[in-house]
Amino acid sequence: MATDVFEMGDIDIAWCPGCGNFPILKTLKETLTELAIDPKQLVMVSGIGQAAKIPHYLKCHFFNGLHGRALPPATAIKAVNPKLTVIAESGDGDMYGEGGNHFIHCIRRNPDITNIVHDNMVYGLTKGQASPTSRRGFKTPVQVAGVILEPFNPLAVAIALDASFVARASSGDREQTKEILKRAIRHKGYALVDIFQPCVTFNKLNTYQWFKDHVYYLDDSHDPSDRTAAFARATETDRLPLGVFYVHPKDSFEENTQMYREDKRPLCERDVDVGRLAALIDTFKMAG
């Protein structure tokens, strides 16, 4: 596959120079190319935010929806056409703040999608408020005395809910991130990849150097099938582990639904029963 198959050409990119979104975009393009993903079979889904602009910069199908609402349409797209590769991608505010409820229930459903979250611990699009993953004491124009809440821990929540695949990466480590993304995209079922990335304009605390000083990689002694060990790693705070924390293969949402138990054809390839559809619409009219 040509290395430029996902390139959009000479377009205006709205990120600040030095933004951690740039290496994530480049790494994702390389990952998709090396996996030989057909751009016509790829759908990127996002919500609102700087990270949520990433589908605008890839040559593929995409759906850019409401703030925090990327996961429901991503689940529906995969259910209607399981042949597609579906990636939901947004920032920590969009996925864990506005989209927090969807995040929880998407894990429970286990659709066969990849969920990439750009975690810069701040709301960058709206110029620097604390996000769900901001550290305690982090000062912003809104939290002028510092954040007083404990940060949301997406990995611990995902493992507690028995997510199918849970990993964390760093935008500064492109080769390691690429390998983690490959495993996530190949994985059958819901795959969370939380990626640390600096916001060079609105977060002066969690810089490239801060992440370099506060992370380490899980080594070969970590068993991703050990849920208890994965949870213990996910709750570490002194130094933050990177790598694949937890893997639990299980049937996906699509496989568990009645519509695919006897007929494996994608819903989008089946004939529409106009009579039954009209009757269904009539029931809503009567209810209204």
Side-chain angles (χ1 to χ4, degrees):
M1 177 180 286
T3 56
D4 62 349
V5 69
F6 294 100
E7 296 293 339
M8 292 291 289
D10 185 19
I11 60 171
D12 180 35
I13 293 183
W15 297 328
C16 304
C19 176
N21 285 327
F22 284 106
I24 295 177
L25 174 62
K26 184 175 179 59
T27 304
L28 179 62
K29 287 178 181 176
E30 292 176 356
T31 301
L32 295 168
T33 302
E34 292 180 20
L35 288 176
I37 302 293
D38 181 352
K40 295 179 181 177
Q41 297 297 311
L42 171 66
V43 182
M44 300 288 299
V45 187
S46 67
I48 299 296
Q50 292 293 1
K53 294 175 182 174
I54 204 161
H56 304 181
Y57 309 141
L58 282 165
K59 187 178 287 184
C60 65
H61 301 290
F62 78 87
F63 180 87
N64 194 178
L66 300 175
H67 209 347
R69 306 297 187 265
L71 292 173
T75 301
I77 291 166
K78 187 68 180 183
V80 170
N81 189 355
K83 294 180 179 178
L84 297 172
T85 297
V86 180
I87 298 175
E89 186 158 2
S90 278
D92 48 289
D94 188 63
M95 283 291 179
Y96 306 144
E98 287 81 3
N101 192 45
H102 294 302
F103 174 67
I104 290 171
H105 294 286
C106 188
I107 293 170
R108 294 178 57 235
R109 293 188 180 98
N110 194 38
D112 185 14
I113 66 173
T114 305
N115 186 188
I116 300 172
V117 184
H118 300 212
D119 191 351
N120 59 13
M121 306 175 182
V122 74
Y123 279 97
L125 183 68
T126 47
K127 301 184 178 180
Q129 300 92 340
S131 82
T133 57
S134 297
R135 307 288 99 172
R136 288 193 66 165
F138 177 56
K139 294 182 179 179
T140 79
V142 177
Q143 290 81 19
V144 293
V147 173
I148 60 173
L149 305 178
E150 287 294 331
F152 180 72
N153 187 329
L155 276 66
V157 170
I159 294 167
L161 290 170
D162 199 23
S164 189
F165 182 101
V166 181
R168 183 160 59 201
S170 176
S171 66
D173 299 335
R174 292 190 46 243
E175 288 304 316
Q176 295 92 330
T177 299
K178 189 193 306 181
E179 294 308 310
I180 290 171
L181 288 176
K182 284 181 180 178
R183 289 183 63 178
I185 293 170
R186 287 179 180 139
H187 179 80
K188 187 191 73 173
Y190 173 81
L192 170 66
V193 183
D194 183 89
I195 303 180
F196 286 151
Q197 60 134 140
C199 174
V200 296
T201 301
F202 297 109
N203 187 341
K204 302 299 185 184
L205 172 64
N206 307 113
T207 62
Y208 282 99
Q209 188 62 48
W210 187 93
F211 282 114
K212 186 176 180 180
D213 293 340
H214 289 80
V215 301
Y216 75 95
Y217 278 91
L218 297 170
D219 60 27
D220 292 340
S221 66
H222 177 67
D223 178 4
S225 68
D226 186 335
R227 190 178 178 190
T228 301
F231 189 84
R233 294 284 192 167
T235 53
E236 292 180 5
T237 55
D238 290 338
R239 294 179 69 216
L240 304 167
L242 303 175
V244 177
F245 286 65
Y246 183 58
V247 180
H248 181 194
K250 53 186 173 180
D251 291 342
S252 68
F253 171 73
E254 304 82 60
E255 291 172 318
N256 282 326
T257 54
Q258 181 66 35
M259 58 193 176
Y260 288 120
R261 287 182 184 169
E262 297 181 357
D263 188 345
K264 302 300 183 187
R265 291 177 301 155
L267 284 180
C268 63
E269 296 179 4
R270 302 182 194 182
D271 294 331
V272 176
D273 187 328
V274 177
R276 291 182 64 187
L277 179 61
L280 177 65
I281 293 173
D282 286 342
T283 62
F284 287 107
K285 289 179 178 177
M286 293 175 64

